[in-house]
Amino acid sequence: MDILGLLNGFGSTFWIIIAFVVALSIIVAIHEYGHYIVGRWSGIGADVFSLGFGPVLFSRYDKRGTKWQIAAIPLGGYVKFKGDANAASGKDADAMQGLDEEELRHTMHGAPLWARTATVAAGPIFNFILSTLVFAAVFMSRGQIGDTLAVGELRDLPPPAYELSEGDEVRKIAGLAVPSFDAPEAFDAFASAIPVTTPLEYVVERDGREQAVSGPYPYPPIVLHLAPKSAAYGAGLEVGDVITGIDGRAIAGFSELKEAVETGEGKPLALDVWREGETKAFTLTPRRVDEPLPEGGFQTQWRIGIGGGLAFEPATEALGPVKAIWGGVVQTGVIIEGSISGLYHMVTGAISTCNLTGPVGIAQTSGAMASQGAQSFIYFIAVLSAAIGMLNLFPIPMLDGGHLVFYAYEAVAGRPPSDKVVNVLMMMGLTIVLGMMFFGITNDLFCP
């Protein structure tokens, strides 16, 4: 028996679980706190604020009489407001009988329509706010590239050694003038015109004067991003690896790697990978993935799950908070739009339903992102928070969107739907939610 292998496997699973619990707990805590604090501001009292379900591990009461608790099953959470029969905000008719008008006002079901609507909508809204602020913080920490291309940190690349140095302002590469980053089309044309070979001549400004130095091909086949659950991740590639050969053929550019993957029609690829001064051999099989198109819809491609970039980290300038927050808003919108588009295309059969992942897949992704560093993990939390906020707005009873539909009916009809109808719809909603979870877990276990 391979005891060491079992221990390594256990350790990997342990950290995947930890990463998943941390990510989900942060998102759930923010979501439920949104319900709680807006409910409190709206005059609705809360009996219980729970992070997790099941047996209570820790609890305390605050001065308002709310019980704050951590429960044993960290797969969600809830706020039980006054007048609620359960965590899903079902009405406790017996408990509400005999309450006077002032006491009813402080229950979820006796509060004005505006207060209930604001309280329910606050959960997803707080998820979106969390995503926006995290994205903004990431953008501010990264900064923005200036008008000119300047060399920041040099990446670790295979020999030969290059004369390019940190602080150099790049004027030309291989005789081609470097355009401004503000002109993306011109920059794309410039990048595609550079010969795919190394070394290349760079003309740089250094210490106030221009000089020619040797430098690498600017877009080497280096692994800067590694997609969780991808072929590259499964094969053991790591961030920082440089792919120097495919099927015995030397390559110098990321475009050569991309072409080999896309035209190989899924056949296994033998990769030579340079890592910390040593060349290692890997074999992986590209996977079919459905990718969103800028104009809408999806396109199926062969991918191995890595992202590249420049041979050096470009120098950046500080990004102001207003621009960063606006960037966070835009990025949150992109996540929401992509999630809705993906679900629509799965329902219509345009893309595979294997694109829908369940808790196992989310846990694996959490662990994979955590293994790539704190910033990647925090960014993943923001992505997941936006997706969960969007899903909670679906008009399904049991979810926040379902409650908002009930409130919309009440606003139009002038009266709430009957308790009997609500209870039937809530059971139907529970069936739908459990069915979606089962479908997601099935995908986690059986999809390639």
PDB file of all heavy atoms in Angstrom, residues 125-140 319-338 379 382-383 385-387:
ATOM      1  N   ILE A 125     -27.768  41.800  -3.027  1.00  0.00           N
ATOM      2  CA  ILE A 125     -27.106  43.086  -3.250  1.00  0.00           C
ATOM      3  C   ILE A 125     -25.786  43.149  -2.491  1.00  0.00           C
ATOM      4  O   ILE A 125     -24.768  43.626  -3.008  1.00  0.00           O
ATOM      5  CB  ILE A 125     -28.035  44.243  -2.852  1.00  0.00           C
ATOM      6  CG1 ILE A 125     -29.193  44.352  -3.850  1.00  0.00           C
ATOM      7  CG2 ILE A 125     -27.275  45.560  -2.785  1.00  0.00           C
ATOM      8  CD1 ILE A 125     -30.264  45.354  -3.460  1.00  0.00           C
ATOM      9  N   PHE A 126     -25.760  42.640  -1.268  1.00  0.00           N
ATOM     10  CA  PHE A 126     -24.515  42.620  -0.505  1.00  0.00           C
ATOM     11  C   PHE A 126     -23.481  41.697  -1.158  1.00  0.00           C
ATOM     12  O   PHE A 126     -22.284  41.969  -1.085  1.00  0.00           O
ATOM     13  CB  PHE A 126     -24.783  42.203   0.944  1.00  0.00           C
ATOM     14  CG  PHE A 126     -25.049  43.362   1.867  1.00  0.00           C
ATOM     15  CD1 PHE A 126     -26.019  44.308   1.565  1.00  0.00           C
ATOM     16  CD2 PHE A 126     -24.344  43.509   3.048  1.00  0.00           C
ATOM     17  CE1 PHE A 126     -26.269  45.378   2.406  1.00  0.00           C
ATOM     18  CE2 PHE A 126     -24.574  44.578   3.901  1.00  0.00           C
ATOM     19  CZ  PHE A 126     -25.541  45.520   3.584  1.00  0.00           C
ATOM     20  N   ASN A 127     -23.944  40.612  -1.791  1.00  0.00           N
ATOM     21  CA  ASN A 127     -23.021  39.765  -2.547  1.00  0.00           C
ATOM     22  C   ASN A 127     -22.384  40.552  -3.691  1.00  0.00           C
ATOM     23  O   ASN A 127     -21.173  40.442  -3.935  1.00  0.00           O
ATOM     24  CB  ASN A 127     -23.735  38.548  -3.115  1.00  0.00           C
ATOM     25  CG  ASN A 127     -23.927  37.442  -2.098  1.00  0.00           C
ATOM     26  OD1 ASN A 127     -24.993  36.858  -2.008  1.00  0.00           O
ATOM     27  ND2 ASN A 127     -22.894  37.140  -1.330  1.00  0.00           N
ATOM     28  N   PHE A 128     -23.196  41.333  -4.392  1.00  0.00           N
ATOM     29  CA  PHE A 128     -22.672  42.130  -5.502  1.00  0.00           C
ATOM     30  C   PHE A 128     -21.713  43.211  -4.993  1.00  0.00           C
ATOM     31  O   PHE A 128     -20.694  43.504  -5.635  1.00  0.00           O
ATOM     32  CB  PHE A 128     -23.817  42.768  -6.290  1.00  0.00           C
ATOM     33  CG  PHE A 128     -24.778  41.777  -6.893  1.00  0.00           C
ATOM     34  CD1 PHE A 128     -26.128  42.084  -7.017  1.00  0.00           C
ATOM     35  CD2 PHE A 128     -24.342  40.533  -7.325  1.00  0.00           C
ATOM     36  CE1 PHE A 128     -27.015  41.172  -7.583  1.00  0.00           C
ATOM     37  CE2 PHE A 128     -25.223  39.613  -7.892  1.00  0.00           C
ATOM     38  CZ  PHE A 128     -26.557  39.936  -8.013  1.00  0.00           C
ATOM     39  N   ILE A 129     -22.034  43.801  -3.847  1.00  0.00           N
ATOM     40  CA  ILE A 129     -21.148  44.813  -3.262  1.00  0.00           C
ATOM     41  C   ILE A 129     -19.810  44.181  -2.882  1.00  0.00           C
ATOM     42  O   ILE A 129     -18.740  44.762  -3.128  1.00  0.00           O
ATOM     43  CB  ILE A 129     -21.813  45.475  -2.042  1.00  0.00           C
ATOM     44  CG1 ILE A 129     -23.004  46.322  -2.494  1.00  0.00           C
ATOM     45  CG2 ILE A 129     -20.814  46.339  -1.281  1.00  0.00           C
ATOM     46  CD1 ILE A 129     -23.835  46.885  -1.348  1.00  0.00           C
ATOM     47  N   LEU A 130     -19.857  42.985  -2.271  1.00  0.00           N
ATOM     48  CA  LEU A 130     -18.622  42.284  -1.928  1.00  0.00           C
ATOM     49  C   LEU A 130     -17.772  42.058  -3.173  1.00  0.00           C
ATOM     50  O   LEU A 130     -16.558  42.330  -3.180  1.00  0.00           O
ATOM     51  CB  LEU A 130     -18.941  40.950  -1.262  1.00  0.00           C
ATOM     52  CG  LEU A 130     -17.747  39.999  -1.045  1.00  0.00           C
ATOM     53  CD1 LEU A 130     -16.744  40.609  -0.081  1.00  0.00           C
ATOM     54  CD2 LEU A 130     -18.221  38.639  -0.532  1.00  0.00           C
ATOM     55  N   SER A 131     -18.389  41.558  -4.245  1.00  0.00           N
ATOM     56  CA  SER A 131     -17.651  41.307  -5.485  1.00  0.00           C
ATOM     57  C   SER A 131     -17.029  42.591  -6.021  1.00  0.00           C
ATOM     58  O   SER A 131     -15.850  42.618  -6.394  1.00  0.00           O
ATOM     59  CB  SER A 131     -18.582  40.697  -6.537  1.00  0.00           C
ATOM     60  OG  SER A 131     -19.099  39.459  -6.109  1.00  0.00           O
ATOM     61  N   THR A 132     -17.813  43.654  -6.043  1.00  0.00           N
ATOM     62  CA  THR A 132     -17.321  44.930  -6.573  1.00  0.00           C
ATOM     63  C   THR A 132     -16.120  45.433  -5.785  1.00  0.00           C
ATOM     64  O   THR A 132     -15.109  45.851  -6.363  1.00  0.00           O
ATOM     65  CB  THR A 132     -18.448  45.977  -6.543  1.00  0.00           C
ATOM     66  OG1 THR A 132     -19.511  45.549  -7.399  1.00  0.00           O
ATOM     67  CG2 THR A 132     -17.944  47.337  -6.998  1.00  0.00           C
ATOM     68  N   LEU A 133     -16.204  45.376  -4.456  1.00  0.00           N
ATOM     69  CA  LEU A 133     -15.108  45.882  -3.618  1.00  0.00           C
ATOM     70  C   LEU A 133     -13.861  45.011  -3.741  1.00  0.00           C
ATOM     71  O   LEU A 133     -12.740  45.531  -3.763  1.00  0.00           O
ATOM     72  CB  LEU A 133     -15.568  45.962  -2.159  1.00  0.00           C
ATOM     73  CG  LEU A 133     -16.663  46.989  -1.855  1.00  0.00           C
ATOM     74  CD1 LEU A 133     -17.042  46.962  -0.385  1.00  0.00           C
ATOM     75  CD2 LEU A 133     -16.212  48.396  -2.258  1.00  0.00           C
ATOM     76  N   VAL A 134     -14.039  43.694  -3.826  1.00  0.00           N
ATOM     77  CA  VAL A 134     -12.875  42.813  -3.970  1.00  0.00           C
ATOM     78  C   VAL A 134     -12.209  43.036  -5.322  1.00  0.00           C
ATOM     79  O   VAL A 134     -10.977  43.151  -5.407  1.00  0.00           O
ATOM     80  CB  VAL A 134     -13.284  41.340  -3.795  1.00  0.00           C
ATOM     81  CG1 VAL A 134     -12.121  40.409  -4.189  1.00  0.00           C
ATOM     82  CG2 VAL A 134     -13.681  41.061  -2.354  1.00  0.00           C
ATOM     83  N   PHE A 135     -13.004  43.097  -6.385  1.00  0.00           N
ATOM     84  CA  PHE A 135     -12.431  43.364  -7.701  1.00  0.00           C
ATOM     85  C   PHE A 135     -11.691  44.700  -7.697  1.00  0.00           C
ATOM     86  O   PHE A 135     -10.593  44.821  -8.253  1.00  0.00           O
ATOM     87  CB  PHE A 135     -13.527  43.381  -8.773  1.00  0.00           C
ATOM     88  CG  PHE A 135     -14.072  42.028  -9.124  1.00  0.00           C
ATOM     89  CD1 PHE A 135     -15.430  41.836  -9.306  1.00  0.00           C
ATOM     90  CD2 PHE A 135     -13.227  40.938  -9.275  1.00  0.00           C
ATOM     91  CE1 PHE A 135     -15.945  40.589  -9.640  1.00  0.00           C
ATOM     92  CE2 PHE A 135     -13.733  39.690  -9.607  1.00  0.00           C
ATOM     93  CZ  PHE A 135     -15.090  39.513  -9.786  1.00  0.00           C
ATOM     94  N   ALA A 136     -12.300  45.710  -7.076  1.00  0.00           N
ATOM     95  CA  ALA A 136     -11.659  47.030  -7.023  1.00  0.00           C
ATOM     96  C   ALA A 136     -10.328  46.966  -6.277  1.00  0.00           C
ATOM     97  O   ALA A 136      -9.336  47.569  -6.707  1.00  0.00           O
ATOM     98  CB  ALA A 136     -12.599  48.031  -6.351  1.00  0.00           C
ATOM     99  N   ALA A 137     -10.299  46.224  -5.167  1.00  0.00           N
ATOM    100  CA  ALA A 137      -9.060  46.091  -4.403  1.00  0.00           C
ATOM    101  C   ALA A 137      -7.976  45.383  -5.221  1.00  0.00           C
ATOM    102  O   ALA A 137      -6.803  45.768  -5.181  1.00  0.00           O
ATOM    103  CB  ALA A 137      -9.324  45.328  -3.108  1.00  0.00           C
ATOM    104  N   VAL A 138      -8.377  44.365  -5.965  1.00  0.00           N
ATOM    105  CA  VAL A 138      -7.416  43.653  -6.820  1.00  0.00           C
ATOM    106  C   VAL A 138      -6.883  44.586  -7.898  1.00  0.00           C
ATOM    107  O   VAL A 138      -5.678  44.627  -8.167  1.00  0.00           O
ATOM    108  CB  VAL A 138      -8.075  42.403  -7.443  1.00  0.00           C
ATOM    109  CG1 VAL A 138      -7.152  41.794  -8.512  1.00  0.00           C
ATOM    110  CG2 VAL A 138      -8.368  41.360  -6.371  1.00  0.00           C
ATOM    111  N   PHE A 139      -7.780  45.364  -8.518  1.00  0.00           N
ATOM    112  CA  PHE A 139      -7.347  46.291  -9.569  1.00  0.00           C
ATOM    113  C   PHE A 139      -6.388  47.346  -9.009  1.00  0.00           C
ATOM    114  O   PHE A 139      -5.406  47.714  -9.659  1.00  0.00           O
ATOM    115  CB  PHE A 139      -8.555  46.974 -10.213  1.00  0.00           C
ATOM    116  CG  PHE A 139      -9.468  46.030 -10.951  1.00  0.00           C
ATOM    117  CD1 PHE A 139     -10.813  46.338 -11.137  1.00  0.00           C
ATOM    118  CD2 PHE A 139      -9.003  44.821 -11.439  1.00  0.00           C
ATOM    119  CE1 PHE A 139     -11.647  45.474 -11.822  1.00  0.00           C
ATOM    120  CE2 PHE A 139      -9.844  43.944 -12.117  1.00  0.00           C
ATOM    121  CZ  PHE A 139     -11.171  44.271 -12.310  1.00  0.00           C
ATOM    122  N   MET A 140      -6.671  47.838  -7.804  1.00  0.00           N
ATOM    123  CA  MET A 140      -5.800  48.843  -7.202  1.00  0.00           C
ATOM    124  C   MET A 140      -4.438  48.249  -6.859  1.00  0.00           C
ATOM    125  O   MET A 140      -3.404  48.908  -7.005  1.00  0.00           O
ATOM    126  CB  MET A 140      -6.460  49.431  -5.953  1.00  0.00           C
ATOM    127  CG  MET A 140      -7.644  50.327  -6.242  1.00  0.00           C
ATOM    128  SD  MET A 140      -8.341  51.111  -4.770  1.00  0.00           S
ATOM    129  CE  MET A 140      -7.030  52.249  -4.328  1.00  0.00           C
ATOM    130  N   LEU A 319      -3.756  53.047  -9.551  1.00  0.00           N
ATOM    131  CA  LEU A 319      -5.118  53.217 -10.057  1.00  0.00           C
ATOM    132  C   LEU A 319      -5.971  53.836  -8.958  1.00  0.00           C
ATOM    133  O   LEU A 319      -6.007  53.330  -7.825  1.00  0.00           O
ATOM    134  CB  LEU A 319      -5.695  51.863 -10.477  1.00  0.00           C
ATOM    135  CG  LEU A 319      -7.078  51.867 -11.124  1.00  0.00           C
ATOM    136  CD1 LEU A 319      -7.029  52.581 -12.467  1.00  0.00           C
ATOM    137  CD2 LEU A 319      -7.580  50.436 -11.311  1.00  0.00           C
ATOM    138  N   GLY A 320      -6.630  54.932  -9.257  1.00  0.00           N
ATOM    139  CA  GLY A 320      -7.435  55.626  -8.264  1.00  0.00           C
ATOM    140  C   GLY A 320      -8.649  54.829  -7.834  1.00  0.00           C
ATOM    141  O   GLY A 320      -9.120  53.949  -8.575  1.00  0.00           O
ATOM    142  N   PRO A 321      -9.198  55.115  -6.645  1.00  0.00           N
ATOM    143  CA  PRO A 321     -10.334  54.344  -6.135  1.00  0.00           C
ATOM    144  C   PRO A 321     -11.586  54.448  -7.000  1.00  0.00           C
ATOM    145  O   PRO A 321     -12.331  53.488  -7.113  1.00  0.00           O
ATOM    146  CB  PRO A 321     -10.570  54.940  -4.737  1.00  0.00           C
ATOM    147  CG  PRO A 321      -9.882  56.278  -4.747  1.00  0.00           C
ATOM    148  CD  PRO A 321      -8.736  56.135  -5.683  1.00  0.00           C
ATOM    149  N   VAL A 322     -11.836  55.611  -7.620  1.00  0.00           N
ATOM    150  CA  VAL A 322     -13.038  55.757  -8.437  1.00  0.00           C
ATOM    151  C   VAL A 322     -12.969  54.835  -9.649  1.00  0.00           C
ATOM    152  O   VAL A 322     -13.921  54.102  -9.957  1.00  0.00           O
ATOM    153  CB  VAL A 322     -13.224  57.224  -8.873  1.00  0.00           C
ATOM    154  CG1 VAL A 322     -14.396  57.344  -9.854  1.00  0.00           C
ATOM    155  CG2 VAL A 322     -13.452  58.121  -7.663  1.00  0.00           C
ATOM    156  N   LYS A 323     -11.825  54.853 -10.349  1.00  0.00           N
ATOM    157  CA  LYS A 323     -11.658  53.965 -11.504  1.00  0.00           C
ATOM    158  C   LYS A 323     -11.691  52.498 -11.073  1.00  0.00           C
ATOM    159  O   LYS A 323     -12.245  51.650 -11.783  1.00  0.00           O
ATOM    160  CB  LYS A 323     -10.340  54.268 -12.211  1.00  0.00           C
ATOM    161  CG  LYS A 323     -10.349  55.533 -13.055  1.00  0.00           C
ATOM    162  CD  LYS A 323      -9.069  55.664 -13.858  1.00  0.00           C
ATOM    163  CE  LYS A 323      -9.104  56.870 -14.782  1.00  0.00           C
ATOM    164  NZ  LYS A 323      -7.848  56.994 -15.576  1.00  0.00           N
ATOM    165  N   ALA A 324     -11.085  52.198  -9.929  1.00  0.00           N
ATOM    166  CA  ALA A 324     -11.047  50.809  -9.460  1.00  0.00           C
ATOM    167  C   ALA A 324     -12.445  50.310  -9.127  1.00  0.00           C
ATOM    168  O   ALA A 324     -12.817  49.183  -9.487  1.00  0.00           O
ATOM    169  CB  ALA A 324     -10.135  50.693  -8.243  1.00  0.00           C
ATOM    170  N   ILE A 325     -13.231  51.136  -8.451  1.00  0.00           N
ATOM    171  CA  ILE A 325     -14.596  50.722  -8.089  1.00  0.00           C
ATOM    172  C   ILE A 325     -15.450  50.562  -9.341  1.00  0.00           C
ATOM    173  O   ILE A 325     -16.235  49.604  -9.456  1.00  0.00           O
ATOM    174  CB  ILE A 325     -15.214  51.726  -7.107  1.00  0.00           C
ATOM    175  CG1 ILE A 325     -14.499  51.626  -5.746  1.00  0.00           C
ATOM    176  CG2 ILE A 325     -16.702  51.470  -6.938  1.00  0.00           C
ATOM    177  CD1 ILE A 325     -14.930  52.653  -4.739  1.00  0.00           C
ATOM    178  N   TRP A 326     -15.304  51.486 -10.281  1.00  0.00           N
ATOM    179  CA  TRP A 326     -16.072  51.347 -11.519  1.00  0.00           C
ATOM    180  C   TRP A 326     -15.654  50.063 -12.252  1.00  0.00           C
ATOM    181  O   TRP A 326     -16.507  49.350 -12.788  1.00  0.00           O
ATOM    182  CB  TRP A 326     -15.881  52.560 -12.411  1.00  0.00           C
ATOM    183  CG  TRP A 326     -16.565  52.408 -13.739  1.00  0.00           C
ATOM    184  CD1 TRP A 326     -15.993  52.337 -14.972  1.00  0.00           C
ATOM    185  CD2 TRP A 326     -17.976  52.264 -13.958  1.00  0.00           C
ATOM    186  NE1 TRP A 326     -16.932  52.170 -15.952  1.00  0.00           N
ATOM    187  CE2 TRP A 326     -18.173  52.133 -15.363  1.00  0.00           C
ATOM    188  CE3 TRP A 326     -19.088  52.248 -13.119  1.00  0.00           C
ATOM    189  CZ2 TRP A 326     -19.430  51.969 -15.926  1.00  0.00           C
ATOM    190  CZ3 TRP A 326     -20.359  52.088 -13.684  1.00  0.00           C
ATOM    191  CH2 TRP A 326     -20.514  51.953 -15.071  1.00  0.00           C
ATOM    192  N   GLY A 327     -14.363  49.777 -12.250  1.00  0.00           N
ATOM    193  CA  GLY A 327     -13.901  48.518 -12.839  1.00  0.00           C
ATOM    194  C   GLY A 327     -14.498  47.320 -12.122  1.00  0.00           C
ATOM    195  O   GLY A 327     -14.847  46.313 -12.753  1.00  0.00           O
ATOM    196  N   GLY A 328     -14.642  47.425 -10.788  1.00  0.00           N
ATOM    197  CA  GLY A 328     -15.270  46.352 -10.022  1.00  0.00           C
ATOM    198  C   GLY A 328     -16.729  46.161 -10.383  1.00  0.00           C
ATOM    199  O   GLY A 328     -17.225  45.034 -10.486  1.00  0.00           O
ATOM    200  N   VAL A 329     -17.433  47.284 -10.588  1.00  0.00           N
ATOM    201  CA  VAL A 329     -18.843  47.207 -11.006  1.00  0.00           C
ATOM    202  C   VAL A 329     -18.960  46.519 -12.365  1.00  0.00           C
ATOM    203  O   VAL A 329     -19.799  45.623 -12.568  1.00  0.00           O
ATOM    204  CB  VAL A 329     -19.460  48.618 -11.061  1.00  0.00           C
ATOM    205  CG1 VAL A 329     -20.843  48.577 -11.713  1.00  0.00           C
ATOM    206  CG2 VAL A 329     -19.556  49.215  -9.660  1.00  0.00           C
ATOM    207  N   VAL A 330     -18.103  46.925 -13.292  1.00  0.00           N
ATOM    208  CA  VAL A 330     -18.135  46.336 -14.635  1.00  0.00           C
ATOM    209  C   VAL A 330     -17.826  44.847 -14.583  1.00  0.00           C
ATOM    210  O   VAL A 330     -18.505  44.032 -15.220  1.00  0.00           O
ATOM    211  CB  VAL A 330     -17.135  47.066 -15.558  1.00  0.00           C
ATOM    212  CG1 VAL A 330     -17.004  46.337 -16.892  1.00  0.00           C
ATOM    213  CG2 VAL A 330     -17.574  48.509 -15.793  1.00  0.00           C
ATOM    214  N   GLN A 331     -16.812  44.482 -13.803  1.00  0.00           N
ATOM    215  CA  GLN A 331     -16.440  43.074 -13.725  1.00  0.00           C
ATOM    216  C   GLN A 331     -17.541  42.240 -13.082  1.00  0.00           C
ATOM    217  O   GLN A 331     -17.812  41.112 -13.519  1.00  0.00           O
ATOM    218  CB  GLN A 331     -15.142  42.916 -12.922  1.00  0.00           C
ATOM    219  CG  GLN A 331     -14.566  41.509 -12.893  1.00  0.00           C
ATOM    220  CD  GLN A 331     -14.192  41.002 -14.270  1.00  0.00           C
ATOM    221  OE1 GLN A 331     -13.866  41.767 -15.162  1.00  0.00           O
ATOM    222  NE2 GLN A 331     -14.251  39.683 -14.445  1.00  0.00           N
ATOM    223  N   THR A 332     -18.194  42.768 -12.062  1.00  0.00           N
ATOM    224  CA  THR A 332     -19.321  42.065 -11.455  1.00  0.00           C
ATOM    225  C   THR A 332     -20.437  41.862 -12.474  1.00  0.00           C
ATOM    226  O   THR A 332     -21.041  40.784 -12.550  1.00  0.00           O
ATOM    227  CB  THR A 332     -19.853  42.850 -10.236  1.00  0.00           C
ATOM    228  OG1 THR A 332     -18.797  42.990  -9.272  1.00  0.00           O
ATOM    229  CG2 THR A 332     -21.031  42.134  -9.588  1.00  0.00           C
ATOM    230  N   GLY A 333     -20.704  42.891 -13.271  1.00  0.00           N
ATOM    231  CA  GLY A 333     -21.709  42.760 -14.329  1.00  0.00           C
ATOM    232  C   GLY A 333     -21.333  41.708 -15.349  1.00  0.00           C
ATOM    233  O   GLY A 333     -22.196  40.963 -15.831  1.00  0.00           O
ATOM    234  N   VAL A 334     -20.051  41.623 -15.671  1.00  0.00           N
ATOM    235  CA  VAL A 334     -19.591  40.610 -16.627  1.00  0.00           C
ATOM    236  C   VAL A 334     -19.842  39.203 -16.077  1.00  0.00           C
ATOM    237  O   VAL A 334     -20.282  38.303 -16.802  1.00  0.00           O
ATOM    238  CB  VAL A 334     -18.089  40.809 -16.936  1.00  0.00           C
ATOM    239  CG1 VAL A 334     -17.527  39.606 -17.685  1.00  0.00           C
ATOM    240  CG2 VAL A 334     -17.886  42.077 -17.752  1.00  0.00           C
ATOM    241  N   ILE A 335     -19.566  38.996 -14.782  1.00  0.00           N
ATOM    242  CA  ILE A 335     -19.793  37.683 -14.162  1.00  0.00           C
ATOM    243  C   ILE A 335     -21.277  37.323 -14.195  1.00  0.00           C
ATOM    244  O   ILE A 335     -21.656  36.199 -14.550  1.00  0.00           O
ATOM    245  CB  ILE A 335     -19.295  37.671 -12.707  1.00  0.00           C
ATOM    246  CG1 ILE A 335     -17.793  37.979 -12.640  1.00  0.00           C
ATOM    247  CG2 ILE A 335     -19.595  36.329 -12.043  1.00  0.00           C
ATOM    248  CD1 ILE A 335     -16.921  37.001 -13.375  1.00  0.00           C
ATOM    249  N   ILE A 336     -22.135  38.277 -13.849  1.00  0.00           N
ATOM    250  CA  ILE A 336     -23.580  38.024 -13.840  1.00  0.00           C
ATOM    251  C   ILE A 336     -24.073  37.716 -15.260  1.00  0.00           C
ATOM    252  O   ILE A 336     -24.805  36.736 -15.478  1.00  0.00           O
ATOM    253  CB  ILE A 336     -24.326  39.238 -13.267  1.00  0.00           C
ATOM    254  CG1 ILE A 336     -23.951  39.424 -11.784  1.00  0.00           C
ATOM    255  CG2 ILE A 336     -25.834  39.074 -13.415  1.00  0.00           C
ATOM    256  CD1 ILE A 336     -24.449  40.726 -11.190  1.00  0.00           C
ATOM    257  N   GLU A 337     -23.656  38.533 -16.218  1.00  0.00           N
ATOM    258  CA  GLU A 337     -24.085  38.329 -17.603  1.00  0.00           C
ATOM    259  C   GLU A 337     -23.602  36.983 -18.133  1.00  0.00           C
ATOM    260  O   GLU A 337     -24.353  36.249 -18.783  1.00  0.00           O
ATOM    261  CB  GLU A 337     -23.546  39.457 -18.482  1.00  0.00           C
ATOM    262  CG  GLU A 337     -23.963  39.342 -19.942  1.00  0.00           C
ATOM    263  CD  GLU A 337     -23.352  40.427 -20.806  1.00  0.00           C
ATOM    264  OE1 GLU A 337     -22.571  41.252 -20.269  1.00  0.00           O
ATOM    265  OE2 GLU A 337     -23.640  40.449 -22.016  1.00  0.00           O
ATOM    266  N   GLY A 338     -22.345  36.631 -17.829  1.00  0.00           N
ATOM    267  CA  GLY A 338     -21.807  35.354 -18.292  1.00  0.00           C
ATOM    268  C   GLY A 338     -22.530  34.174 -17.674  1.00  0.00           C
ATOM    269  O   GLY A 338     -22.771  33.158 -18.343  1.00  0.00           O
ATOM    270  N   TYR A 379      -9.818  36.638  -5.530  1.00  0.00           N
ATOM    271  CA  TYR A 379     -10.521  36.933  -6.783  1.00  0.00           C
ATOM    272  C   TYR A 379     -11.619  35.896  -7.032  1.00  0.00           C
ATOM    273  O   TYR A 379     -12.725  36.239  -7.454  1.00  0.00           O
ATOM    274  CB  TYR A 379      -9.514  36.937  -7.933  1.00  0.00           C
ATOM    275  CG  TYR A 379     -10.031  37.547  -9.217  1.00  0.00           C
ATOM    276  CD1 TYR A 379      -9.864  38.902  -9.476  1.00  0.00           C
ATOM    277  CD2 TYR A 379     -10.672  36.770 -10.168  1.00  0.00           C
ATOM    278  CE1 TYR A 379     -10.338  39.473 -10.654  1.00  0.00           C
ATOM    279  CE2 TYR A 379     -11.146  37.331 -11.350  1.00  0.00           C
ATOM    280  CZ  TYR A 379     -10.975  38.677 -11.579  1.00  0.00           C
ATOM    281  OH  TYR A 379     -11.447  39.226 -12.747  1.00  0.00           O
ATOM    282  N   ALA A 382     -14.696  36.608  -5.062  1.00  0.00           N
ATOM    283  CA  ALA A 382     -15.502  37.663  -5.672  1.00  0.00           C
ATOM    284  C   ALA A 382     -16.344  37.112  -6.823  1.00  0.00           C
ATOM    285  O   ALA A 382     -17.520  37.463  -6.966  1.00  0.00           O
ATOM    286  CB  ALA A 382     -14.593  38.788  -6.171  1.00  0.00           C
ATOM    287  N   VAL A 383     -15.745  36.264  -7.647  1.00  0.00           N
ATOM    288  CA  VAL A 383     -16.490  35.658  -8.757  1.00  0.00           C
ATOM    289  C   VAL A 383     -17.648  34.815  -8.228  1.00  0.00           C
ATOM    290  O   VAL A 383     -18.785  34.909  -8.699  1.00  0.00           O
ATOM    291  CB  VAL A 383     -15.549  34.791  -9.623  1.00  0.00           C
ATOM    292  CG1 VAL A 383     -16.354  34.000 -10.655  1.00  0.00           C
ATOM    293  CG2 VAL A 383     -14.515  35.660 -10.322  1.00  0.00           C
ATOM    294  N   SER A 385     -19.121  34.992  -5.307  1.00  0.00           N
ATOM    295  CA  SER A 385     -20.116  35.830  -4.633  1.00  0.00           C
ATOM    296  C   SER A 385     -21.088  36.437  -5.645  1.00  0.00           C
ATOM    297  O   SER A 385     -22.307  36.456  -5.412  1.00  0.00           O
ATOM    298  CB  SER A 385     -19.412  36.943  -3.851  1.00  0.00           C
ATOM    299  OG  SER A 385     -20.348  37.771  -3.195  1.00  0.00           O
ATOM    300  N   ALA A 386     -20.569  36.917  -6.772  1.00  0.00           N
ATOM    301  CA  ALA A 386     -21.450  37.482  -7.804  1.00  0.00           C
ATOM    302  C   ALA A 386     -22.380  36.422  -8.374  1.00  0.00           C
ATOM    303  O   ALA A 386     -23.572  36.666  -8.582  1.00  0.00           O
ATOM    304  CB  ALA A 386     -20.607  38.101  -8.920  1.00  0.00           C
ATOM    305  N   ALA A 387     -21.841  35.214  -8.604  1.00  0.00           N
ATOM    306  CA  ALA A 387     -22.672  34.139  -9.161  1.00  0.00           C
ATOM    307  C   ALA A 387     -23.747  33.700  -8.176  1.00  0.00           C
ATOM    308  O   ALA A 387     -24.904  33.470  -8.562  1.00  0.00           O
ATOM    309  CB  ALA A 387     -21.788  32.956  -9.537  1.00  0.00           C
TER     310      ALA A 387
END
